[in-house]
Amino acid sequence: MMLENISQNKVAEGWHKQYRHSSRVLNCDMRFAIYLPPNATQHTPVPVLYWLSGLTCTDENFMQKAAAFKSAAALGIAIVAPDTSPRGELVADDDSFDLGQGAGFYLNATQPPWNTHYQMFDYVTQELPSIIEAHFLVTDVKSIAGHSMGGHGALIAGLTLPEQYRSISAFSPICHPMQSPWGQKAFSAYLGQDTTQWRKYDACEWLKSRKATLPILIDQGDADSFLAEQLKPETVLAAAKLSGSEVQLRMHSGYDHSYYFISSFIDEHLAFHARYLQST
């Protein structure tokens, strides 16, 4: 696997770097960003937090806006941010912002034309971690987090593959995509009309029948314009109660859906993950 380093910046005594590579899983070139804390550049392998971003985002949004580097450097945690979908001239797309390129929804599409490239679940949980662990000074210890569509992706990845992660966190996640217009549109296109195929990508459906084994932290602003129609955080608590799962949901007065909200609480999320990433 060849990685092309397309940018790098020293920050908080560590390094933020962007890479391009050819993805076997997605059948196209992909880009990701990685932050390597100072100890990872001094011959000490570090654990990794994978961050999944939301609709319309790329690898750049979190890295440029979340203000996470100082805490990541102090805690000795690498951060990896993939793109939110496959991209390119040959990759299927849609004119709307909530379907197609920039809106991969972190699932494995089964319906044409999407299934040729849109295998984001396998990319973020299998191919990308194998690349990161082969090319950088990191361990195989990892946690996962995300925002909005990426919060949905983090919940699904962690709930589905608890043996791969230590902890899960999310900002403003799409908690119940089967009951969200964004989720319904994406699932219909990518997975078809059989809603039984949707359930494995819905955190609430998972939690209704299975007990979560990983610690889960969710932060949500009560001034989020998408709160009632798209995000529905109350549904994840109701589902968790059915299976006896523990989910920590924190509501924050006055905060919206933006990176102003994320940057206000990202240090607490990094500290949350550090407790599990650094435990034996």
Side-chain angles (χ1 to χ4, degrees):
M1 171 66 68
M2 296 295 294
L3 297 184
E4 178 189 358
N5 181 208
I6 54 179
S7 74
Q8 61 181 28
N9 307 90
K10 189 171 184 179
V11 54
E13 299 303 319
W15 285 91
H16 164 267
K17 300 184 179 186
Q18 283 182 308
Y19 289 89
R20 183 182 294 113
H21 73 98
S22 177
S23 168
R24 174 187 56 81
V25 169
L26 302 179
N27 297 307
C28 65
D29 287 346
M30 286 295 285
R31 193 175 72 186
F32 68 84
I34 184 169
Y35 175 68
L36 295 165
N39 51 333
T41 63
Q42 299 168 0
H43 312 295
T44 303
V46 297
V48 183
L49 176 65
Y50 286 83
W51 174 271
L52 307 183
S53 291
L55 288 166
T56 75
C57 292
T58 68
D59 61 289
E60 294 182 335
N61 294 72
F62 178 84
M63 294 300 194
Q64 294 181 4
K65 298 178 180 179
F69 298 133
K70 285 186 178 180
S71 287
L75 294 167
I77 297 172
I79 303 175
V80 172
D83 202 346
T84 54
S85 77
R87 296 184 192 268
E89 292 183 2
L90 300 179
V91 176
D93 200 7
D94 189 86
D95 290 338
S96 57
F97 77 94
D98 52 358
L99 186 68
Q101 296 186 35
F105 262 83
Y106 304 104
L107 51 73
N108 290 336
T110 60
Q111 303 300 302
W114 312 103
N115 55 344
T116 302
H117 297 96
Y118 285 75
Q119 305 295 312
M120 286 297 292
F121 182 83
D122 284 352
Y123 177 71
V124 299
T125 64
Q126 297 178 26
E127 186 178 32
L128 184 58
S130 70
I131 292 169
I132 299 301
E133 290 163 21
H135 288 86
F136 300 97
L137 198 61
V138 301
T139 70
D140 62 358
V141 177
K142 49 190 172 286
S143 291
I144 192 160
H147 171 232
S148 195
M149 177 185 72
H152 141 76
L155 288 168
I156 286 300
L159 290 170
T160 305
L161 300 169
E163 70 281 359
Q164 288 192 197
Y165 303 100
R166 294 288 184 87
S167 49
I168 307 165
S169 78
F171 286 88
S172 316
I174 304 172
C175 292
H176 201 354
M178 291 181 69
Q179 300 299 321
S180 159
W182 284 338
Q184 291 167 350
K185 180 177 181 177
F187 287 4
S188 295
Y190 298 143
L191 302 174
Q193 298 303 313
D194 181 0
T195 58
T196 62
Q197 300 303 310
W198 299 11
R199 293 193 179 104
K200 61 184 176 181
Y201 296 113
D202 188 306
C204 287
E205 295 301 315
W206 271 94
L207 286 168
K208 286 176 183 177
S209 59
R210 304 168 180 85
K211 186 173 183 178
T213 58
L214 297 180
I216 301 172
L217 171 64
I218 298 174
D219 275 348
Q220 174 65 60
D222 70 3
D224 191 321
S225 60
F226 305 114
L227 179 60
E229 183 180 24
Q230 304 283 6
L231 307 179
K232 305 180 186 295
E234 70 283 354
T235 62
V236 79
L237 290 184
K241 185 177 181 180
L242 290 175
S243 60
S245 300
E246 293 186 13
V247 175
Q248 183 182 8
L249 171 64
R250 307 190 306 184
M251 297 297 298
H252 299 274
S253 177
Y255 285 93
D256 59 18
H257 199 69
S258 72
Y259 269 83
Y260 294 110
F261 174 43
I262 294 170
S263 65
S264 298
F265 298 98
I266 191 62
D267 292 347
E268 295 177 27
H269 279 241
L270 289 170
F272 165 79
H273 289 295
R275 293 200 297 271
Y276 304 101
L277 289 169
Q278 295 168 352
S279 63
T280 57

